[in-house]
Amino acid sequence: LRGPCRTCSRTAARAFSRQTIARRRAYGAAARGHVPRAQHSQASRSSVMLQRCYIVALVAIGAAALAPAPRRAVVYRGADDMDVEAIAASLESRGLSADVCDDASLAAALARDDVAAVYAGRYATHDALDGVAPPTPLYRYDKAASAFKLDRRSAGVDAPRWVALDVESEEKCLERNGWNFLTPEEPATWGAPPTLDAAEYAVAPGDASAIRDAVLDHGVALVKDMVSKDVLDACAAVVTARWDACKAALGAKTPPLLFNGIDRFEYAEVVHRSDGRYDMKVPEEVRSALAGAPWLAAVEALLGPDYAPLYDSAIVSVPSAKTQEMHCDNGHLFPHSEEHVRTPHCVTVICPLIDVTEDNGPTEFWPGSHYEAVAKEMFEERARTGAHIPSKSSLQLAGAVGDCILFDTRTVHRGMANAAKEKRPILYIAYARPWYTEGTKNFPDESLFGGADAAAA
């Protein structure tokens, strides 16, 4: 808040000085008997008037000091489809002076010191937006809700989580922002750009060359109806039996361990990789069933005829499993090189053992991120903004039993949250060039079962 102006200060000082002088003269003269009663009364009236002037001046000073801070809202649409004029009118009806900006004027508008809040499109990006910092809240437009939601970067700002464009009832406002309302965890997809169409990355199952080209170009390929459902149903039964055996062995520990997404453990047979996501070695029966897998021709086209199995496991995501951080399974052989090595050194195949949907957790890929420069830009953006959702559009691949995903392990990806009521198992089978070995050990030596069971595992 700005202090009182100099004019008001001088007025108050003069009023105080005149009041003091008049009072002293009137009272001094009256005490000496030199002033008639009428003149004394006139001096008293003068003193009262000066007192009133002094009070008025003080009120003026207080009003200047307590004047409300400017409330100006910056509205930036970016490339989003939103009616900025209607939004500006709605914000002005709430006492905010709306400043609708385009790309050219946004930086100057945000540089002013009277910005009360910033309202931007859900997918809007601009260098000036990256500089919006507390205590100024940044809101993103949620078209489905017809409201603005507080951006995750402004989570620590003392501001409502939601700002509705329509007039809301007191109950609705309390529901959105009140103390008695527990906001559910923000979905990992909120604020993400539109996803890519999976159909554009689908390849025919019998065309190994087309699968190879898709992986080389995009880092990932979806192949529909590639594997016999009967074969995968048999694999699913074996995986379920092994899961139940691991569950029983974990429960027999002291204290008992559970597949609850919370208990952390690492054994030779199963490892809790992240919140609610388990990496479990598959028994030999699964390897035997997939010995002549139909994807091997594509793997050979990518890695050469002397490729070698690297590892095979089942990734099981239990209900309430959270979305992973984006990552690459393997790095680049020659990091920081200006030239991209087009052919991969590792390829992974994903086979769903149940139908994968948007609810139970598809795998999210960023096509083109097998290029080091693209991946580097994504990770730098995350480090710079603190957001876990890059501005680059992703490809969320959900598939039915029989579908497969082949991807270059340098491609940035992550498993999505499982919001369903059942666990989601997939087979995760990796191949590599014969000279490649991983620098990390995926499973420890300690067995969950011990004895004969461990040897069988």
Side-chain angles (χ1 to χ4, degrees):
L1 295 177
R2 304 189 180 202
C5 67
R6 293 180 179 177
T7 302
C8 293
S9 299
R10 286 195 296 267
T11 302
R14 288 169 182 168
F16 180 80
S17 300
R18 288 170 182 168
Q19 175 200 15
T20 305
I21 293 170
R23 182 183 298 165
R24 287 176 179 173
R25 285 178 176 173
Y27 291 159
R32 292 192 298 271
H34 295 162
V35 182
R37 183 179 300 273
Q39 190 175 348
H40 179 76
S41 299
Q42 183 179 0
S44 298
R45 285 196 296 271
S46 242
S47 175
V48 171
M49 291 179 65
L50 287 171
Q51 275 185 323
R52 290 175 180 173
C53 288
Y54 176 60
I55 293 172
V56 169
L58 286 180
V59 169
I61 295 171
L66 298 176
R71 293 177 55 79
R72 191 172 65 88
V74 173
V75 181
Y76 174 65
R77 174 175 53 203
D80 288 62
D81 178 20
M82 65 184 201
D83 188 347
V84 292
E85 299 303 330
I87 291 169
S90 176
L91 293 173
E92 287 178 354
S93 71
R94 287 160 171 74
L96 290 172
S97 174
D99 187 357
V100 178
C101 302
D102 55 17
D103 290 343
S105 61
L106 179 62
L110 292 177
R112 292 176 53 175
D113 59 0
D114 59 348
V115 178
V118 180
Y119 298 86
R122 181 170 178 176
Y123 310 120
T125 57
H126 194 287
D127 290 342
L129 286 180
D130 294 339
V132 177
T136 303
L138 171 62
Y139 288 94
R140 295 285 188 175
Y141 182 53
D142 188 331
K143 188 174 182 180
S146 187
F148 282 91
K149 185 176 184 181
L150 191 66
D151 189 89
R152 56 170 50 87
R153 285 177 291 176
S154 301
V157 177
D158 183 15
R161 283 182 60 85
W162 288 92
V163 174
L165 298 181
D166 301 325
V167 177
E168 290 187 319
S169 66
E170 183 179 349
E171 292 78 7
K172 185 64 176 178
C173 186
L174 184 64
E175 178 187 336
R176 286 194 189 235
N177 301 305
W179 292 106
N180 62 341
F181 177 66
L182 296 178
T183 303
E185 182 176 345
E186 185 173 287
T189 55
W190 199 94
T195 56
L196 302 170
D197 186 0
E200 297 181 4
Y201 295 83
V203 186
D207 194 342
S209 297
I211 297 172
R212 176 201 61 203
D213 292 343
V215 173
L216 292 178
D217 292 341
H218 309 299
V220 61
L222 170 65
V223 188
K224 305 287 287 185
D225 300 319
M226 191 178 204
V227 189
S228 165
K229 294 183 179 180
D230 291 338
V231 170
L232 292 178
D233 287 344
C235 292
V238 174
V239 168
T240 299
R242 174 47 59 101
W243 176 266
D244 292 340
C246 289
K247 182 177 181 180
L250 289 168
K253 296 289 183 181
T254 304
L257 297 172
L258 304 173
F259 284 128
N260 57 4
I262 300 173
D263 292 349
R264 300 288 176 176
F265 49 81
E266 294 185 359
Y267 291 101
E269 296 79 17
V270 62
V271 173
H272 188 184
R273 295 289 181 204
S274 60
D275 295 335
R277 188 169 279 99
Y278 301 87
D279 191 352
M280 184 176 68
K281 284 185 179 178
V282 297
E284 184 58 39
E285 296 95 316
V286 173
R287 301 188 188 97
S288 299
L290 300 175
W295 59 72
L296 293 179
V299 171
E300 181 175 336
L302 285 162
L303 299 177
D306 53 351
Y307 68 87
L310 189 60
Y311 56 81
D312 45 21
S313 63
I315 304 295
V316 182
S317 172
V318 299
S320 76
K322 296 181 180 179
T323 298
Q324 286 182 301
E325 294 285 349
M326 61 182 191
H327 63 280
C328 308
D329 286 349
N330 298 105
H332 291 259
L333 294 175
F334 307 102
H336 314 301
S337 173
E338 295 182 358
E339 185 175 352
H340 172 68
V341 179
R342 182 168 169 78
T343 54
H345 52 280
C346 295
V347 172
T348 295
V349 181
I350 294 177
C351 279
L353 295 179
I354 65 169
D355 292 344
V356 176
T357 66
E358 183 179 349
D359 289 334
N360 63 11
T363 304
E364 186 174 34
F365 294 89
W366 280 268
S369 61
H370 59 312
Y371 282 78
E372 185 181 18
V374 177
K376 179 182 178 183
E377 182 179 349
M378 292 174 60
F379 288 117
E380 286 180 347
E381 179 187 42
R382 182 179 68 180
R384 183 178 68 255
T385 64
H388 296 276
I389 302 173
S391 57
K392 182 178 173 61
S393 290
S394 68
L395 178 67
Q396 295 183 10
L397 294 182
V401 175
D403 298 343
C404 289
I405 301 169
L406 284 80
F407 70 96
D408 183 332
T409 56
R410 297 173 295 180
T411 305
V412 180
H413 65 282
R414 63 178 177 179
M416 302 298 288
N418 184 357
K421 296 181 179 180
E422 302 293 336
K423 62 182 182 291
R424 184 227 60 184
I426 60 173
L427 293 177
Y428 206 80
I429 306 167
Y431 304 88
R433 295 185 181 274
W435 40 261
Y436 178 79
T437 53
E438 285 195 319
T440 57
K441 190 173 182 178
N442 288 320
F443 293 88
D445 294 328
E446 181 185 359
S447 173
L448 173 62
F449 300 107
D453 288 339

mmCIF file with all atom_site columns, all heavy atoms in Angstrom, residues 106-128:
data_model
loop_
_atom_site.group_PDB
_atom_site.id
_atom_site.type_symbol
_atom_site.label_atom_id
_atom_site.label_alt_id
_atom_site.label_comp_id
_atom_site.label_asym_id
_atom_site.label_entity_id
_atom_site.label_seq_id
_atom_site.pdbx_PDB_ins_code
_atom_site.Cartn_x
_atom_site.Cartn_y
_atom_site.Cartn_z
_atom_site.occupancy
_atom_site.B_iso_or_equiv
_atom_site.pdbx_formal_charge
_atom_site.auth_seq_id
_atom_site.auth_comp_id
_atom_site.auth_asym_id
_atom_site.auth_atom_id
_atom_site.pdbx_PDB_model_num
ATOM 1   N N   . LEU A 1 106 ? 1.404  -9.729  -24.189 1.00 0.00 ? 106 LEU A N   1
ATOM 2   C CA  . LEU A 1 106 ? 1.344  -10.443 -22.910 1.00 0.00 ? 106 LEU A CA  1
ATOM 3   C C   . LEU A 1 106 ? 2.494  -10.071 -21.989 1.00 0.00 ? 106 LEU A C   1
ATOM 4   O O   . LEU A 1 106 ? 2.291  -9.817  -20.802 1.00 0.00 ? 106 LEU A O   1
ATOM 5   C CB  . LEU A 1 106 ? 1.325  -11.958 -23.155 1.00 0.00 ? 106 LEU A CB  1
ATOM 6   C CG  . LEU A 1 106 ? 1.278  -12.818 -21.898 1.00 0.00 ? 106 LEU A CG  1
ATOM 7   C CD1 . LEU A 1 106 ? 0.002  -12.539 -21.104 1.00 0.00 ? 106 LEU A CD1 1
ATOM 8   C CD2 . LEU A 1 106 ? 1.369  -14.302 -22.249 1.00 0.00 ? 106 LEU A CD2 1
ATOM 9   N N   . ALA A 1 107 ? 3.709  -10.047 -22.520 1.00 0.00 ? 107 ALA A N   1
ATOM 10  C CA  . ALA A 1 107 ? 4.874  -9.777  -21.660 1.00 0.00 ? 107 ALA A CA  1
ATOM 11  C C   . ALA A 1 107 ? 4.766  -8.413  -20.992 1.00 0.00 ? 107 ALA A C   1
ATOM 12  O O   . ALA A 1 107 ? 5.023  -8.273  -19.791 1.00 0.00 ? 107 ALA A O   1
ATOM 13  C CB  . ALA A 1 107 ? 6.153  -9.885  -22.487 1.00 0.00 ? 107 ALA A CB  1
ATOM 14  N N   . ALA A 1 108 ? 4.351  -7.406  -21.752 1.00 0.00 ? 108 ALA A N   1
ATOM 15  C CA  . ALA A 1 108 ? 4.228  -6.063  -21.175 1.00 0.00 ? 108 ALA A CA  1
ATOM 16  C C   . ALA A 1 108 ? 3.126  -6.015  -20.131 1.00 0.00 ? 108 ALA A C   1
ATOM 17  O O   . ALA A 1 108 ? 3.261  -5.348  -19.097 1.00 0.00 ? 108 ALA A O   1
ATOM 18  C CB  . ALA A 1 108 ? 3.946  -5.044  -22.292 1.00 0.00 ? 108 ALA A CB  1
ATOM 19  N N   . ALA A 1 109 ? 2.029  -6.714  -20.381 1.00 0.00 ? 109 ALA A N   1
ATOM 20  C CA  . ALA A 1 109 ? 0.924  -6.718  -19.416 1.00 0.00 ? 109 ALA A CA  1
ATOM 21  C C   . ALA A 1 109 ? 1.340  -7.375  -18.110 1.00 0.00 ? 109 ALA A C   1
ATOM 22  O O   . ALA A 1 109 ? 0.989  -6.904  -17.026 1.00 0.00 ? 109 ALA A O   1
ATOM 23  C CB  . ALA A 1 109 ? -0.280 -7.440  -20.010 1.00 0.00 ? 109 ALA A CB  1
ATOM 24  N N   . LEU A 1 110 ? 2.103  -8.450  -18.187 1.00 0.00 ? 110 LEU A N   1
ATOM 25  C CA  . LEU A 1 110 ? 2.529  -9.159  -16.977 1.00 0.00 ? 110 LEU A CA  1
ATOM 26  C C   . LEU A 1 110 ? 3.632  -8.410  -16.234 1.00 0.00 ? 110 LEU A C   1
ATOM 27  O O   . LEU A 1 110 ? 3.867  -8.672  -15.049 1.00 0.00 ? 110 LEU A O   1
ATOM 28  C CB  . LEU A 1 110 ? 3.005  -10.563 -17.330 1.00 0.00 ? 110 LEU A CB  1
ATOM 29  C CG  . LEU A 1 110 ? 1.931  -11.535 -17.821 1.00 0.00 ? 110 LEU A CG  1
ATOM 30  C CD1 . LEU A 1 110 ? 2.543  -12.876 -18.201 1.00 0.00 ? 110 LEU A CD1 1
ATOM 31  C CD2 . LEU A 1 110 ? 0.856  -11.740 -16.762 1.00 0.00 ? 110 LEU A CD2 1
ATOM 32  N N   . ALA A 1 111 ? 4.317  -7.516  -16.929 1.00 0.00 ? 111 ALA A N   1
ATOM 33  C CA  . ALA A 1 111 ? 5.402  -6.767  -16.287 1.00 0.00 ? 111 ALA A CA  1
ATOM 34  C C   . ALA A 1 111 ? 4.886  -5.684  -15.356 1.00 0.00 ? 111 ALA A C   1
ATOM 35  O O   . ALA A 1 111 ? 5.630  -5.173  -14.515 1.00 0.00 ? 111 ALA A O   1
ATOM 36  C CB  . ALA A 1 111 ? 6.309  -6.162  -17.351 1.00 0.00 ? 111 ALA A CB  1
ATOM 37  N N   . ARG A 1 112 ? 3.626  -5.291  -15.478 1.00 0.00 ? 112 ARG A N   1
ATOM 38  C CA  . ARG A 1 112 ? 3.064  -4.274  -14.596 1.00 0.00 ? 112 ARG A CA  1
ATOM 39  C C   . ARG A 1 112 ? 2.933  -4.811  -13.175 1.00 0.00 ? 112 ARG A C   1
ATOM 40  O O   . ARG A 1 112 ? 2.842  -6.020  -12.958 1.00 0.00 ? 112 ARG A O   1
ATOM 41  C CB  . ARG A 1 112 ? 1.708  -3.818  -15.130 1.00 0.00 ? 112 ARG A CB  1
ATOM 42  C CG  . ARG A 1 112 ? 1.815  -3.054  -16.441 1.00 0.00 ? 112 ARG A CG  1
ATOM 43  C CD  . ARG A 1 112 ? 0.455  -2.704  -17.010 1.00 0.00 ? 112 ARG A CD  1
ATOM 44  N NE  . ARG A 1 112 ? -0.393 -2.015  -16.040 1.00 0.00 ? 112 ARG A NE  1
ATOM 45  C CZ  . ARG A 1 112 ? -1.594 -1.525  -16.342 1.00 0.00 ? 112 ARG A CZ  1
ATOM 46  N NH1 . ARG A 1 112 ? -2.077 -1.663  -17.568 1.00 0.00 ? 112 ARG A NH1 1
ATOM 47  N NH2 . ARG A 1 112 ? -2.317 -0.920  -15.410 1.00 0.00 ? 112 ARG A NH2 1
ATOM 48  N N   . ASP A 1 113 ? 2.910  -3.891  -12.203 1.00 0.00 ? 113 ASP A N   1
ATOM 49  C CA  . ASP A 1 113 ? 2.902  -4.306  -10.802 1.00 0.00 ? 113 ASP A CA  1
ATOM 50  C C   . ASP A 1 113 ? 1.506  -4.339  -10.199 1.00 0.00 ? 113 ASP A C   1
ATOM 51  O O   . ASP A 1 113 ? 1.352  -4.438  -8.980  1.00 0.00 ? 113 ASP A O   1
ATOM 52  C CB  . ASP A 1 113 ? 3.798  -3.391  -9.963  1.00 0.00 ? 113 ASP A CB  1
ATOM 53  C CG  . ASP A 1 113 ? 3.360  -1.927  -10.038 1.00 0.00 ? 113 ASP A CG  1
ATOM 54  O OD1 . ASP A 1 113 ? 2.369  -1.643  -10.739 1.00 0.00 ? 113 ASP A OD1 1
ATOM 55  O OD2 . ASP A 1 113 ? 4.022  -1.089  -9.395  1.00 0.00 ? 113 ASP A OD2 1
ATOM 56  N N   . ASP A 1 114 ? 0.473  -4.234  -11.045 1.00 0.00 ? 114 ASP A N   1
ATOM 57  C CA  . ASP A 1 114 ? -0.883 -4.234  -10.504 1.00 0.00 ? 114 ASP A CA  1
ATOM 58  C C   . ASP A 1 114 ? -1.682 -5.465  -10.950 1.00 0.00 ? 114 ASP A C   1
ATOM 59  O O   . ASP A 1 114 ? -2.903 -5.435  -10.996 1.00 0.00 ? 114 ASP A O   1
ATOM 60  C CB  . ASP A 1 114 ? -1.618 -2.958  -10.921 1.00 0.00 ? 114 ASP A CB  1
ATOM 61  C CG  . ASP A 1 114 ? -1.712 -2.810  -12.431 1.00 0.00 ? 114 ASP A CG  1
ATOM 62  O OD1 . ASP A 1 114 ? -1.018 -3.554  -13.142 1.00 0.00 ? 114 ASP A OD1 1
ATOM 63  O OD2 . ASP A 1 114 ? -2.489 -1.949  -12.903 1.00 0.00 ? 114 ASP A OD2 1
ATOM 64  N N   . VAL A 1 115 ? -0.974 -6.540  -11.284 1.00 0.00 ? 115 VAL A N   1
ATOM 65  C CA  . VAL A 1 115 ? -1.648 -7.757  -11.752 1.00 0.00 ? 115 VAL A CA  1
ATOM 66  C C   . VAL A 1 115 ? -2.150 -8.547  -10.547 1.00 0.00 ? 115 VAL A C   1
ATOM 67  O O   . VAL A 1 115 ? -1.360 -8.974  -9.696  1.00 0.00 ? 115 VAL A O   1
ATOM 68  C CB  . VAL A 1 115 ? -0.707 -8.617  -12.604 1.00 0.00 ? 115 VAL A CB  1
ATOM 69  C CG1 . VAL A 1 115 ? -1.416 -9.899  -13.045 1.00 0.00 ? 115 VAL A CG1 1
ATOM 70  C CG2 . VAL A 1 115 ? -0.228 -7.840  -13.815 1.00 0.00 ? 115 VAL A CG2 1
ATOM 71  N N   . ALA A 1 116 ? -3.456 -8.734  -10.467 1.00 0.00 ? 116 ALA A N   1
ATOM 72  C CA  . ALA A 1 116 ? -4.034 -9.490  -9.356  1.00 0.00 ? 116 ALA A CA  1
ATOM 73  C C   . ALA A 1 116 ? -4.060 -10.981 -9.652  1.00 0.00 ? 116 ALA A C   1
ATOM 74  O O   . ALA A 1 116 ? -3.920 -11.811 -8.752  1.00 0.00 ? 116 ALA A O   1
ATOM 75  C CB  . ALA A 1 116 ? -5.455 -9.004  -9.079  1.00 0.00 ? 116 ALA A CB  1
ATOM 76  N N   . ALA A 1 117 ? -4.245 -11.384 -10.924 1.00 0.00 ? 117 ALA A N   1
ATOM 77  C CA  . ALA A 1 117 ? -4.304 -12.794 -11.299 1.00 0.00 ? 117 ALA A CA  1
ATOM 78  C C   . ALA A 1 117 ? -4.130 -12.903 -12.806 1.00 0.00 ? 117 ALA A C   1
ATOM 79  O O   . ALA A 1 117 ? -4.346 -11.945 -13.551 1.00 0.00 ? 117 ALA A O   1
ATOM 80  C CB  . ALA A 1 117 ? -5.633 -13.415 -10.864 1.00 0.00 ? 117 ALA A CB  1
ATOM 81  N N   . VAL A 1 118 ? -3.721 -14.099 -13.240 1.00 0.00 ? 118 VAL A N   1
ATOM 82  C CA  . VAL A 1 118 ? -3.526 -14.370 -14.664 1.00 0.00 ? 118 VAL A CA  1
ATOM 83  C C   . VAL A 1 118 ? -4.423 -15.541 -15.052 1.00 0.00 ? 118 VAL A C   1
ATOM 84  O O   . VAL A 1 118 ? -4.415 -16.590 -14.391 1.00 0.00 ? 118 VAL A O   1
ATOM 85  C CB  . VAL A 1 118 ? -2.055 -14.702 -14.976 1.00 0.00 ? 118 VAL A CB  1
ATOM 86  C CG1 . VAL A 1 118 ? -1.870 -14.972 -16.466 1.00 0.00 ? 118 VAL A CG1 1
ATOM 87  C CG2 . VAL A 1 118 ? -1.141 -13.578 -14.511 1.00 0.00 ? 118 VAL A CG2 1
ATOM 88  N N   . TYR A 1 119 ? -5.180 -15.366 -16.121 1.00 0.00 ? 119 TYR A N   1
ATOM 89  C CA  . TYR A 1 119 ? -6.112 -16.388 -16.604 1.00 0.00 ? 119 TYR A CA  1
ATOM 90  C C   . TYR A 1 119 ? -5.701 -16.765 -18.027 1.00 0.00 ? 119 TYR A C   1
ATOM 91  O O   . TYR A 1 119 ? -5.746 -15.928 -18.938 1.00 0.00 ? 119 TYR A O   1
ATOM 92  C CB  . TYR A 1 119 ? -7.543 -15.866 -16.575 1.00 0.00 ? 119 TYR A CB  1
ATOM 93  C CG  . TYR A 1 119 ? -8.014 -15.504 -15.187 1.00 0.00 ? 119 TYR A CG  1
ATOM 94  C CD1 . TYR A 1 119 ? -7.756 -14.249 -14.647 1.00 0.00 ? 119 TYR A CD1 1
ATOM 95  C CD2 . TYR A 1 119 ? -8.685 -16.430 -14.397 1.00 0.00 ? 119 TYR A CD2 1
ATOM 96  C CE1 . TYR A 1 119 ? -8.160 -13.920 -13.367 1.00 0.00 ? 119 TYR A CE1 1
ATOM 97  C CE2 . TYR A 1 119 ? -9.095 -16.113 -13.113 1.00 0.00 ? 119 TYR A CE2 1
ATOM 98  C CZ  . TYR A 1 119 ? -8.826 -14.858 -12.613 1.00 0.00 ? 119 TYR A CZ  1
ATOM 99  O OH  . TYR A 1 119 ? -9.233 -14.552 -11.341 1.00 0.00 ? 119 TYR A OH  1
ATOM 100 N N   . ALA A 1 120 ? -5.280 -18.020 -18.204 1.00 0.00 ? 120 ALA A N   1
ATOM 101 C CA  . ALA A 1 120 ? -4.751 -18.457 -19.495 1.00 0.00 ? 120 ALA A CA  1
ATOM 102 C C   . ALA A 1 120 ? -5.484 -19.699 -19.977 1.00 0.00 ? 120 ALA A C   1
ATOM 103 O O   . ALA A 1 120 ? -6.150 -20.399 -19.203 1.00 0.00 ? 120 ALA A O   1
ATOM 104 C CB  . ALA A 1 120 ? -3.253 -18.745 -19.386 1.00 0.00 ? 120 ALA A CB  1
ATOM 105 N N   . GLY A 1 121 ? -5.347 -19.963 -21.268 1.00 0.00 ? 121 GLY A N   1
ATOM 106 C CA  . GLY A 1 121 ? -5.906 -21.176 -21.827 1.00 0.00 ? 121 GLY A CA  1
ATOM 107 C C   . GLY A 1 121 ? -5.261 -22.403 -21.228 1.00 0.00 ? 121 GLY A C   1
ATOM 108 O O   . GLY A 1 121 ? -4.120 -22.364 -20.744 1.00 0.00 ? 121 GLY A O   1
ATOM 109 N N   . ARG A 1 122 ? -5.956 -23.518 -21.269 1.00 0.00 ? 122 ARG A N   1
ATOM 110 C CA  . ARG A 1 122 ? -5.463 -24.740 -20.641 1.00 0.00 ? 122 ARG A CA  1
ATOM 111 C C   . ARG A 1 122 ? -4.141 -25.193 -21.246 1.00 0.00 ? 122 ARG A C   1
ATOM 112 O O   . ARG A 1 122 ? -3.265 -25.686 -20.552 1.00 0.00 ? 122 ARG A O   1
ATOM 113 C CB  . ARG A 1 122 ? -6.509 -25.843 -20.813 1.00 0.00 ? 122 ARG A CB  1
ATOM 114 C CG  . ARG A 1 122 ? -6.134 -27.177 -20.175 1.00 0.00 ? 122 ARG A CG  1
ATOM 115 C CD  . ARG A 1 122 ? -7.318 -28.119 -20.178 1.00 0.00 ? 122 ARG A CD  1
ATOM 116 N NE  . ARG A 1 122 ? -6.972 -29.412 -19.615 1.00 0.00 ? 122 ARG A NE  1
ATOM 117 C CZ  . ARG A 1 122 ? -7.862 -30.386 -19.436 1.00 0.00 ? 122 ARG A CZ  1
ATOM 118 N NH1 . ARG A 1 122 ? -9.113 -30.201 -19.770 1.00 0.00 ? 122 ARG A NH1 1
ATOM 119 N NH2 . ARG A 1 122 ? -7.492 -31.540 -18.922 1.00 0.00 ? 122 ARG A NH2 1
ATOM 120 N N   . TYR A 1 123 ? -3.976 -25.020 -22.545 1.00 0.00 ? 123 TYR A N   1
ATOM 121 C CA  . TYR A 1 123 ? -2.760 -25.462 -23.214 1.00 0.00 ? 123 TYR A CA  1
ATOM 122 C C   . TYR A 1 123 ? -1.885 -24.298 -23.662 1.00 0.00 ? 123 TYR A C   1
ATOM 123 O O   . TYR A 1 123 ? -0.942 -24.483 -24.419 1.00 0.00 ? 123 TYR A O   1
ATOM 124 C CB  . TYR A 1 123 ? -3.115 -26.323 -24.435 1.00 0.00 ? 123 TYR A CB  1
ATOM 125 C CG  . TYR A 1 123 ? -4.104 -27.416 -24.136 1.00 0.00 ? 123 TYR A CG  1
ATOM 126 C CD1 . TYR A 1 123 ? -5.328 -27.466 -24.787 1.00 0.00 ? 123 TYR A CD1 1
ATOM 127 C CD2 . TYR A 1 123 ? -3.821 -28.399 -23.193 1.00 0.00 ? 123 TYR A CD2 1
ATOM 128 C CE1 . TYR A 1 123 ? -6.246 -28.468 -24.510 1.00 0.00 ? 123 TYR A CE1 1
ATOM 129 C CE2 . TYR A 1 123 ? -4.722 -29.395 -22.907 1.00 0.00 ? 123 TYR A CE2 1
ATOM 130 C CZ  . TYR A 1 123 ? -5.939 -29.431 -23.566 1.00 0.00 ? 123 TYR A CZ  1
ATOM 131 O OH  . TYR A 1 123 ? -6.838 -30.419 -23.277 1.00 0.00 ? 123 TYR A OH  1
ATOM 132 N N   . ALA A 1 124 ? -2.216 -23.092 -23.229 1.00 0.00 ? 124 ALA A N   1
ATOM 133 C CA  . ALA A 1 124 ? -1.477 -21.917 -23.679 1.00 0.00 ? 124 ALA A CA  1
ATOM 134 C C   . ALA A 1 124 ? -0.037 -21.948 -23.172 1.00 0.00 ? 124 ALA A C   1
ATOM 135 O O   . ALA A 1 124 ? 0.220  -22.269 -22.013 1.00 0.00 ? 124 ALA A O   1
ATOM 136 C CB  . ALA A 1 124 ? -2.176 -20.645 -23.195 1.00 0.00 ? 124 ALA A CB  1
ATOM 137 N N   . THR A 1 125 ? 0.889  -21.642 -24.051 1.00 0.00 ? 125 THR A N   1
ATOM 138 C CA  . THR A 1 125 ? 2.303  -21.581 -23.684 1.00 0.00 ? 125 THR A CA  1
ATOM 139 C C   . THR A 1 125 ? 2.872  -20.253 -24.153 1.00 0.00 ? 125 THR A C   1
ATOM 140 O O   . THR A 1 125 ? 2.552  -19.761 -25.236 1.00 0.00 ? 125 THR A O   1
ATOM 141 C CB  . THR A 1 125 ? 3.108  -22.725 -24.318 1.00 0.00 ? 125 THR A CB  1
ATOM 142 O OG1 . THR A 1 125 ? 2.959  -22.674 -25.742 1.00 0.00 ? 125 THR A OG1 1
ATOM 143 C CG2 . THR A 1 125 ? 2.629  -24.077 -23.801 1.00 0.00 ? 125 THR A CG2 1
ATOM 144 N N   . HIS A 1 126 ? 3.717  -19.661 -23.333 1.00 0.00 ? 126 HIS A N   1
ATOM 145 C CA  . HIS A 1 126 ? 4.355  -18.379 -23.656 1.00 0.00 ? 126 HIS A CA  1
ATOM 146 C C   . HIS A 1 126 ? 5.483  -18.191 -22.650 1.00 0.00 ? 126 HIS A C   1
ATOM 147 O O   . HIS A 1 126 ? 5.354  -18.545 -21.479 1.00 0.00 ? 126 HIS A O   1
ATOM 148 C CB  . HIS A 1 126 ? 3.338  -17.236 -23.562 1.00 0.00 ? 126 HIS A CB  1
ATOM 149 C CG  . HIS A 1 126 ? 3.805  -15.971 -24.196 1.00 0.00 ? 126 HIS A CG  1
ATOM 150 N ND1 . HIS A 1 126 ? 4.768  -15.166 -23.630 1.00 0.00 ? 126 HIS A ND1 1
ATOM 151 C CD2 . HIS A 1 126 ? 3.435  -15.354 -25.360 1.00 0.00 ? 126 HIS A CD2 1
ATOM 152 C CE1 . HIS A 1 126 ? 4.979  -14.109 -24.407 1.00 0.00 ? 126 HIS A CE1 1
ATOM 153 N NE2 . HIS A 1 126 ? 4.179  -14.201 -25.467 1.00 0.00 ? 126 HIS A NE2 1
ATOM 154 N N   . ASP A 1 127 ? 6.591  -17.653 -23.122 1.00 0.00 ? 127 ASP A N   1
ATOM 155 C CA  . ASP A 1 127 ? 7.723  -17.443 -22.213 1.00 0.00 ? 127 ASP A CA  1
ATOM 156 C C   . ASP A 1 127 ? 7.329  -16.578 -21.024 1.00 0.00 ? 127 ASP A C   1
ATOM 157 O O   . ASP A 1 127 ? 7.797  -16.785 -19.902 1.00 0.00 ? 127 ASP A O   1
ATOM 158 C CB  . ASP A 1 127 ? 8.890  -16.785 -22.966 1.00 0.00 ? 127 ASP A CB  1
ATOM 159 C CG  . ASP A 1 127 ? 9.537  -17.734 -23.967 1.00 0.00 ? 127 ASP A CG  1
ATOM 160 O OD1 . ASP A 1 127 ? 9.328  -18.958 -23.831 1.00 0.00 ? 127 ASP A OD1 1
ATOM 161 O OD2 . ASP A 1 127 ? 10.235 -17.257 -24.873 1.00 0.00 ? 127 ASP A OD2 1
ATOM 162 N N   . ALA A 1 128 ? 6.453  -15.611 -21.263 1.00 0.00 ? 128 ALA A N   1
ATOM 163 C CA  . ALA A 1 128 ? 6.050  -14.719 -20.173 1.00 0.00 ? 128 ALA A CA  1
ATOM 164 C C   . ALA A 1 128 ? 5.251  -15.465 -19.111 1.00 0.00 ? 128 ALA A C   1
ATOM 165 O O   . ALA A 1 128 ? 5.322  -15.125 -17.924 1.00 0.00 ? 128 ALA A O   1
ATOM 166 C CB  . ALA A 1 128 ? 5.239  -13.551 -20.725 1.00 0.00 ? 128 ALA A CB  1
#
